[in-house]
């Protein structure tokens, strides 16, 4: 009997698995780390649980990947890590360029690759849903990937022909759905919705009904974001304008909160028009970081036990930038649970950590006691935009901004304003963070996927895991982030009383931002030899000057 390993059985995947089982195919899935809802779908479809991806790969002659587009590369890497040498079918809505990268990943460990493309809803008797297949080995799996309501079609030509077809097809179906919702929302905001609908009824019969039916797609909006980015990449690669698809991705991003909601058309149009309120994104991010704190404290990524045992101070490049801080007052904005803050206390500074997560602040205070540093360390729970008020006008010799801070702030200007209030004239500010170009790049290749510049609307993510090595899921998964260009950061500092002493862009970072980075002995991650280097992080050292000094400096330039 032919055996197929299915990763991962969502609504579409479980229905495809059930169709294959009806054709006599044994279908496995892997329950490790999956949700109760996924387990229920797999059981209803009659899929056999292999437990882990390793076990699934060992049981299966064919592995079929059906997952959200943004996860397609990660799933391929998981299967490749098992050494799977069977036939790998990627049936995800991804660009031809992504298909070729996935093919390379699985072929390097000995697997045979077939590109796939599902068009239609979850298969059911009387469908049909079609799975298009391409690549030299496509004919060998056509009979397997079939069943009631599921038809296989083998395409000739390029390896990625199936995905190319999907990109063109979905550009219309999902792209026009987003466009109709945007048009209805714009007409409502401009006060001409009734007139537009009346004109549609006269000259575009059926369009009113299509626009109203479009609200039925919002429960899958979270999934369509990545798909529209893949379509944009496909078009851009061949010189066709890609802005249509990127705009559709933005519409779906505004609707992704409705994954499990029964929402009216009015609610959908309101969401297309509205940005998240200040209270909404702050609460979501605070809950997200409360959850992360408990996970991070236990992770080997931070390795708190070793930190307590080895008692490390600041990193070498931080010491080189700031020199001797003994006896100086240092404030650390967005201090998380305090390891970096307390490193400066070990170097002799009197430190104050500020963070909006009560869980993080409580754990930081506990760590200060355990490390014997409580006499020169304190932690205050406050939002970064209210730090100066929370600290009652106190000023410091040094402001320290550590890695991974700026992306959580909607306004780099408001952040720099706080620094200007917290650092006394003659004091300094040290910033080390992810380079905004690195933040804007796609995860798996050197192409711009997100905005480089600060925008009012945030990047919204829904990730079940944090960046540490832990597999413990986050309960509050939604998070809001913003990018800020290097020019915006520097200009905001200058506008708030700082002069830039140094600005350095680095081809290294302190965590594995991209899966293709390699780790050096000193713990820094760099681009491997043979690949083009891009800036991964940056450091700024700036000095706070008073108004008279600033005027003198300005006159001398």
């Amino acid at each position: 009997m032919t055996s197929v390993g299915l990763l991962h059985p969502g609504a579409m995947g479980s229905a495809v698995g059930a169709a294959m089982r009806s054709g006599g195919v044994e279908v496995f899935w892997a329950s490790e780390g999956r949700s109760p809802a996924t387990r229920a779908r797999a059981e209803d479809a009659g899929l056999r649980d292999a437990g882990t991806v390793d076990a699934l790969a060992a049981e299966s002659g064919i592995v079929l990947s059906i997952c959200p587009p943004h996860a397609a590369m990660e799933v391929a890497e998981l299967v490749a890590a098992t050494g799977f040498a069977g036939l790998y079918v990627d049936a995800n809505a991804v660009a031809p360029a992504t298909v070729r990268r996935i093919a390379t990943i699985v072929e390097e460990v000995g697997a045979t690759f077939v590109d796939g493309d599902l068009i239609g809803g979850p298969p059911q008797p009387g469908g049909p849903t079609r799975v298009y297949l391409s690549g030299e080995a496509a004919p060998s799996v056509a009979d397997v990937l079939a069943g009631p309501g599921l038809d296989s079609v083998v395409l000739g030509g390029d390896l990625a022909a199936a995905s190319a077809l999907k990109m063109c097809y979905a550009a219309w179906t999902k792209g026009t759905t987003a466009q109709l919702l945007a048009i209805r929302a714009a007409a409502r905001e401009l006060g001409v919705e009734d007139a537009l609908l009346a004109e549609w009824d006269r000259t575009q019969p059926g369009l009113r009904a299509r626009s109203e039916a479009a609200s039925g797609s919002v429960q899958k909006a979270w999934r369509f974001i990545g798909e529209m980015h893949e379509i944009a990449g496909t078009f851009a690669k061949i010189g066709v304008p890609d802005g249509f698809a990127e705009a559709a991705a933005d519409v779906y991003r505004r609707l992704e909160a409705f994954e499990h909601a029964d929402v009216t058309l009015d609610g959908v149009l309101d969401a297309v028009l509205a940005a998240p309120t200040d209270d909404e994104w702050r609460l979501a991010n605070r809950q997200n970081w409360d959850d992360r704190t408990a996970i991070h404290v236990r992770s080997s990524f931070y390795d708190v036990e070793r930190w307590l045992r080895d008692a490390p101070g600041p990193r070498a490049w931080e010491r080189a930038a700031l020199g001797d801080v003994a006896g100086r007052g240092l404030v650390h904005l967005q201090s998380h649970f305090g390891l970096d803050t307390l490193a400066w206390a070990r170097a002799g500074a009197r430190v104050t950590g500020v963070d909006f997560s009560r869980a993080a602040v409580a754990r930081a205070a506990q760590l200060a006691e355990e490390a014997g540093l409580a006499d020169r360390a304190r932690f205050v729970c406050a939002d970064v935009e209210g730090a100066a008020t929370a600290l009652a006008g106190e000023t410091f010799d040094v402001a320290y901004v550590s890695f991974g801070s700026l992306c959580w702030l909607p306004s780099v200007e408001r952040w720099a304003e706080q620094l200007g209030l917290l650092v006394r004239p003659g004091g300094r500010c040290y910033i080390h963070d992810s380079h905004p170009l690195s933040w804007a790049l796609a995860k798996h290749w050197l192409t711009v996927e997100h905005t480089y510049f600060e925008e009012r609307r945030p990047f919204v993510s829904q990730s079940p895991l944090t960046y540490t090595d832990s597999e413990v899921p986050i309960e509050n998964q939604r998070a809001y982030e913003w990018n800020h260009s290097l020019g915006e950061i520097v200009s905001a500092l200058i506008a708030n009383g700082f002069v830039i002493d140094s600005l350095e862009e680095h081809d290294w970072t302190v965590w594995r931002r991209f899966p293709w980075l390699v780790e050096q002995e000193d713990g820094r991650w760099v681009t491997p030899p043979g690949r083009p280097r891009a800036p991964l992080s940056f450091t700024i050292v700036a000095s706070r000057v008073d108004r008279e000094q600033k005027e003198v400096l300005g006159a001398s330039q």
Side-chain angles (χ1 to χ4, degrees):
M1 178 184 291
T2 302
S3 59
V4 174
L6 178 61
L7 298 171
H8 291 283
M12 174 65 83
S14 57
V16 169
M20 290 190 292
R21 283 192 66 252
S22 297
V25 176
E26 188 172 29
V27 183
F28 292 91
W29 78 293
S31 61
E32 184 179 45
R34 312 312 300 176
S35 69
T38 303
R39 181 182 292 276
R41 282 192 296 264
E43 290 176 352
D44 290 344
L47 310 186
R48 288 187 58 184
D49 184 8
T52 66
V53 175
D54 281 337
L56 177 145
E59 294 281 358
S60 306
I62 300 169
V63 168
L64 173 62
S65 173
I66 302 177
C67 65
H70 64 266
M73 195 86 72
E74 182 179 351
V75 169
E77 289 171 342
L78 287 172
V79 174
T82 71
F84 177 71
L87 200 149
Y88 187 91
V89 182
D90 183 273
N92 299 306
V94 294
T98 307
V99 166
R100 294 187 178 91
R101 293 184 181 95
I102 292 173
T104 299
I105 289 170
V106 299
E107 287 172 350
E108 284 180 347
V109 297
T112 301
F113 180 81
V114 171
D115 183 28
D117 152 28
L118 285 157
I119 290 182
Q124 54 187 334
T129 296
R130 282 165 300 285
V131 54
Y132 288 91
L133 303 166
S134 57
E136 290 185 7
S140 67
V141 295
D143 291 339
V144 177
L145 304 183
L150 180 65
D151 294 342
S152 291
V153 180
V154 176
L155 297 176
D158 188 79
L159 167 69
S163 287
L165 172 63
K166 178 71 172 183
M167 295 292 94
C168 295
Y169 183 85
W172 172 256
T173 55
K174 291 161 187 163
T176 54
T177 295
Q179 188 175 18
L180 281 172
L181 291 173
I183 291 169
R184 284 287 299 263
R188 175 168 296 187
E189 183 71 6
L190 295 168
V192 295
E193 186 178 18
D194 289 342
L196 175 68
L197 295 175
E199 186 60 35
W200 274 357
D201 291 342
R202 283 190 293 270
T203 60
Q204 304 290 331
L207 204 52
R208 177 200 287 258
R210 275 198 64 194
S211 69
E212 291 170 354
S215 62
S217 67
V218 300
Q219 290 187 343
K220 293 184 178 180
W222 67 275
R223 190 184 187 108
F224 295 162
I225 298 168
E227 187 167 346
M228 299 314 297
H229 284 315
E230 294 288 328
I231 291 168
T234 301
F235 284 17
K237 187 79 172 179
I238 58 174
V240 174
D242 62 339
F244 305 104
E246 290 294 357
D250 191 26
V251 171
Y252 286 127
R253 185 175 294 112
R254 300 179 187 201
L255 301 172
E256 62 179 339
F258 297 128
E259 179 183 356
H260 301 296
D262 184 13
V263 60
T264 64
L265 177 63
D266 287 343
V268 170
L269 299 184
D270 287 344
V272 171
L273 288 166
T277 66
D278 200 52
D279 289 342
E280 286 172 344
W281 73 257
R282 286 183 198 278
L283 177 60
N285 282 0
R286 185 178 296 115
Q287 291 173 333
N288 180 267
W289 278 94
D290 284 344
D291 287 355
R292 290 186 192 224
T293 295
I295 298 169
H296 289 180
V297 168
R298 296 191 298 269
S299 71
S300 61
F301 181 93
Y302 283 102
D303 200 350
V304 171
E305 289 187 6
R306 181 178 178 181
W307 180 88
L308 286 167
R309 182 178 66 250
D310 295 351
R315 301 172 183 89
W317 56 86
E318 296 175 336
R319 284 183 180 275
L322 287 177
D324 185 10
V325 296
R328 296 186 178 276
L330 180 147
V331 63
H332 180 189
L333 298 183
Q334 297 162 275
S335 56
H336 195 24
F337 68 97
L339 294 193
D340 287 340
T341 322
L342 293 171
W344 288 106
R346 285 199 177 111
R350 293 174 284 102
V351 301
T352 298
V354 179
D355 199 274
F356 73 164
S357 166
R358 291 193 181 278
V361 167
R363 190 65 180 99
Q366 183 181 345
L367 276 174
E369 292 282 354
E370 294 174 15
L373 299 168
D375 61 329
R376 54 180 182 272
R378 63 170 171 163
F379 292 90
V380 176
C381 186
D383 189 273
V384 64
E385 293 186 357
T389 299
L391 295 173
E394 183 177 352
T395 58
F396 299 84
D397 300 300
V398 179
Y400 173 69
V401 180
S402 55
F403 212 92
S405 296
L406 296 183
C407 66
W408 302 102
L409 306 175
S411 169
V412 74
E413 173 61 35
R414 294 201 297 269
W415 162 83
E417 183 181 64
Q418 293 297 304
L419 291 175
L421 294 170
L422 290 167
V423 180
R424 62 176 59 102
R428 287 181 297 164
C429 177
Y430 174 85
I431 304 156
H432 182 205
D433 211 333
S434 180
H435 197 287
L437 178 58
S438 172
W439 195 95
L441 293 177
K443 179 179 179 181
H444 291 279
W445 56 90
L446 292 177
T447 186
V448 175
E449 182 175 2
H450 310 293
T451 178
Y452 176 81
F453 297 98
E454 181 180 301
E455 294 182 357
R456 182 177 65 89
R457 184 166 293 278
F459 172 80
V460 185
S461 62
Q462 187 89 16
S463 176
L465 300 175
T466 183
Y467 55 82
T468 67
D469 49 349
S470 174
E471 292 300 315
V472 180
I474 298 172
E475 181 178 351
N476 296 285
Q477 299 177 6
R478 181 171 300 277
Y480 297 83
E481 299 176 65
W482 293 261
N483 200 13
H484 313 280
S485 75
L486 210 51
E488 289 165 341
I489 295 166
V490 168
S491 295
L493 290 169
I494 293 171
N496 284 279
F498 290 91
V499 293
I500 306 302
D501 299 323
S502 67
L503 165 60
E504 295 184 72
E505 298 173 285
H506 308 293
D507 63 354
W508 53 269
T509 184
V510 297
W511 67 294
R512 199 174 191 180
R513 167 67 179 88
F514 302 106
W516 38 265
L517 295 180
V518 294
E519 189 174 14
Q520 294 182 316
E521 290 184 3
D522 61 3
R524 293 187 286 186
W525 293 85
V526 299
T527 303
R531 293 191 65 144
R533 294 186 302 155
L536 299 176
S537 67
F538 73 94
T539 51
I540 293 175
V541 179
S543 295
R544 177 78 165 83
V545 296
D546 59 28
R547 181 172 296 177
E548 290 183 3
Q549 288 176 306
K550 190 172 183 180
E551 290 174 352
V552 170
L553 286 168
S556 66
Q557 291 176 350

